[in-house]
Amino acid sequence: MINELKVKYYIGEILKTKIGNSHGVFIKAKPIFLLAIINCIESKHLSANEILLNDDILKDEYYGLFKTLQPEIKPSPYLLPYFHLSSESYYSIFWTGEPFKPHPKAHSPSERYLRLNSTHSYLDGALWGLLQDEEARSFIKQQIVNFYFKAR
């Protein structure tokens, strides 16, 4: 049995996820990355709440979803949503070294910086728990697709 209040809370948080805007083109890399994570949970590829920077299966899922959901746009490099989703309340990076502080010339860390200063990223524990439930996972995925990718 899913906790409907938690589901509503996380849907609200997810649907507030900020998306990129490059010269008037909305780039929805963060919602796509989140969908890729959810799909990897569903397929049992992700069985622990540790999202790795060098996870080739997750990368392939992300790029495949990007081509399907935003085929008119060149996919954002995997590193960007991996890092920038950490600005949202439900996703964090586990830093072992100095957390990245944006610089006027660099808004994203390099892959090398992330590899040297973090071990993985992870979802909020309660959201991770919800995504283990098939019904909640399916509902959350549908809400993301409807909100970000269905014509309005």
Side-chain angles (χ1 to χ4, degrees):
M1 174 110 175
I2 63 170
N3 183 324
E4 290 182 31
L5 192 57
K6 277 187 186 176
V7 170
K8 286 180 182 180
Y9 169 77
Y10 281 106
I11 287 172
E13 291 300 298
I14 290 166
L15 299 186
K16 289 191 298 189
T17 298
K18 291 179 178 53
I19 58 174
N21 183 340
S22 178
H23 307 288
V25 176
F26 291 102
I27 301 166
K28 300 171 184 170
K30 290 195 296 187
I32 292 170
F33 182 66
L34 183 56
L35 285 171
I37 291 169
I38 293 170
N39 285 351
C40 285
I41 292 170
E42 189 169 46
S43 71
K44 306 283 191 248
H45 171 66
L46 285 177
S47 57
N49 193 3
E50 293 185 1
I51 301 153
L52 302 176
L53 181 61
N54 63 351
D55 185 332
D56 290 334
I57 292 172
L58 180 57
K59 281 182 189 179
D60 289 346
E61 184 67 27
Y62 165 74
Y63 287 118
L65 283 170
F66 209 112
K67 287 177 187 171
T68 300
L69 296 170
Q70 283 205 284
E72 69 284 358
I73 298 174
K74 180 182 176 191
S76 293
Y78 174 84
L79 170 72
L80 296 179
Y82 180 92
F83 171 72
H84 287 287
L85 196 61
S86 66
S87 67
E88 306 302 331
S89 65
Y90 54 86
Y91 177 93
S92 300
I93 294 176
F94 186 84
W95 296 102
T96 55
E98 188 67 30
F100 181 76
K101 292 184 178 48
H103 183 274
K105 292 184 179 181
H107 300 289
S108 305
S110 67
E111 185 171 339
R112 182 177 186 273
Y113 187 92
L114 277 173
R115 276 188 281 117
L116 292 174
N117 292 285
S118 69
T119 58
H120 63 279
S121 62
Y122 57 96
L123 297 172
D124 176 281
L127 176 58
W128 175 264
L130 282 175
L131 293 173
Q132 305 313 300
D133 179 88
E134 183 179 348
E135 182 183 353
R137 187 174 56 241
S138 177
F139 185 70
I140 291 169
K141 275 175 51 173
Q142 193 57 53
Q143 294 299 310
I144 295 169
V145 170
N146 289 344
F147 185 80
Y148 289 105
F149 303 102
K150 296 288 183 191
R152 294 182 193 210

